[in-house]
Amino acid sequence: MWTLNRYITRDFLVVFGMAIGILTFGMLGARLGEVLDMLSRGIPLESFFKFILYTLPVILIYTIPWSVLVATMVVFGRLSADSEITAMRACGVSLLQIVAPLLIFVIIMTGVCFYLQVYAGPPMLGKARTLMRNTATTQPMAIFEPGQMVEFEGTVLYIDDKVGQDELRGVQIFMFDEQLRLTQDIFAEYAKLTADEQTMMLHIKLFKCVIGTYSSDNSKQTIFNDELEFTFDYGKAINESRVGVRAKFMPADQLLARIKIERKRGADAEDMCELEVELNQRIALALSPIAFLLLGLPLAIRTSRRETSVGLFLSVILGGVFFLSIIVFESMTSFPKIYPQYLIWLPNLVFQALGATMLYRVSQK
């Protein structure tokens, strides 16, 4: 029996490892586009790896259960197609004995998902968002991209190229009044940047400047200057951002405390619904590996196909339906009367009930 369990567990873990690697890489790739773009603008490589580290726990919440489903469909579909399941049961080995080691593994993975979803993941996701938002604080050079305009309160800046970490080439600056009328345009051959990270002020020193000033009658006066300096508050948008932490980025204990506080102060139903949906969504997702195993096991045995592509196709369909349902119910926070905080459990309940029923019927054959 030990040899049999080791054989099945080994195959399961191999497929699980391959699936989680591919799925995690794919989901990371969807988030890295913006980061790679900013990396090309001068963000240090350290920020790139920090973003991956902060985002990984949230991605694993989705890829771990999905990988359980993929491994279950592929391994047991192949075992059933080769009649190995039938042979094991003919030798007196029950279905529960066959899947017992895998059930223990899936329970452990459920515990990992629970920890990531309830405690570790949300704060790490908040750090990832903060890292991207505060990029300009430590690397203001990343604000500027050749061929694109950057706006600072009535001033638009355009550059042709940038050199190193502090030099811009072909700088054009356009200044507007409150009525959005052009008051001044400046062209500089190149510019040097210095940033004060404490005050979040960006100092730009222009060299070899051509300055055009417009009067009220639209006449233009042009002068030349070897040097010109400007100061911009590049941190204003950051300083004006909301100080409070969103519920999405709170660990479970803080989220529960927030719910209690909101109830005591008599918050409206929609606000309470949003908080309760967030809490229930985390727990429902954390328990999804068990639901995927219960449904995937009898479905794989029933399909009885050796081809890996069939198992992968069914896994994608089932996983997509499950996560899409969670997302749909999560988006219903503006309709508290239909209780989306409870509806969000529906995918789990349907998958587990359907899987348990099918598993019972398979075990009786």
Side-chain angles (χ1 to χ4, degrees), residues 57 196 230:
D196 187 336
F230 286 93

Side-chain angles (χ1 to χ4, degrees), residues 55-242:
T55 309
L56 195 58
V58 177
I59 291 177
L60 287 175
I61 291 165
Y62 293 91
T63 58
I64 287 176
W66 213 331
S67 299
V68 168
L69 179 60
V70 170
T72 302
M73 294 296 298
V74 171
V75 172
F76 284 92
R78 186 174 65 245
L79 289 174
S80 181
D82 292 340
S83 300
E84 292 185 66
I85 297 289
T86 303
M88 294 175 196
R89 296 178 66 184
C91 294
V93 180
S94 68
L95 199 57
L96 179 60
Q97 289 176 301
I98 295 173
V99 302
L102 304 183
L103 184 59
I104 294 173
F105 174 76
V106 170
I107 290 174
I108 293 173
M109 289 297 99
T110 301
V112 172
C113 285
F114 187 84
Y115 173 75
L116 293 176
Q117 181 71 311
V118 174
Y119 295 105
M124 295 287 274
L125 182 61
K127 288 183 178 180
R129 296 293 176 87
T130 302
L131 177 67
M132 296 307 301
R133 187 187 64 185
N134 292 347
T135 296
T137 304
T138 56
Q139 293 293 326
M141 190 69 168
I143 299 172
F144 303 99
E145 182 69 11
Q148 296 184 8
M149 293 185 177
V150 179
E151 185 174 352
F152 296 98
E153 289 190 346
T155 301
V156 176
L157 192 146
Y158 175 93
I159 67 168
D160 290 332
D161 197 8
K162 57 184 182 180
V163 180
Q165 296 298 317
D166 63 352
E167 184 174 332
L168 307 176
R169 292 295 178 95
V171 181
Q172 298 179 59
I173 299 177
F174 304 93
M175 297 183 176
F176 300 87
D177 60 15
E178 294 180 355
Q179 286 74 40
L180 298 180
R181 291 178 301 191
L182 182 64
T183 59
Q184 196 173 59
D185 64 59
I186 303 170
F187 174 80
E189 188 173 319
Y190 65 98
K192 292 286 188 178
L193 301 181
T194 56
D196 187 336
E197 296 182 13
Q198 297 296 324
T199 60
M200 297 185 186
M201 302 300 290
L202 180 65
H203 305 284
I204 302 179
K205 190 171 184 179
L206 307 175
F207 299 89
K208 299 182 179 180
C209 311
V210 179
I211 306 168
T213 303
Y214 297 83
S215 60
S216 56
D217 59 358
N218 289 329
S219 60
K220 180 180 179 181
Q221 181 181 2
T222 303
I223 61 174
F224 301 89
N225 203 331
D226 287 336
E227 295 183 6
L228 190 64
E229 292 190 23
F230 286 93
T231 300
F232 297 106
D233 186 358
Y234 72 92
K236 185 175 181 180
I238 298 173
N239 294 330
E240 290 180 348
S241 63
R242 187 169 54 183

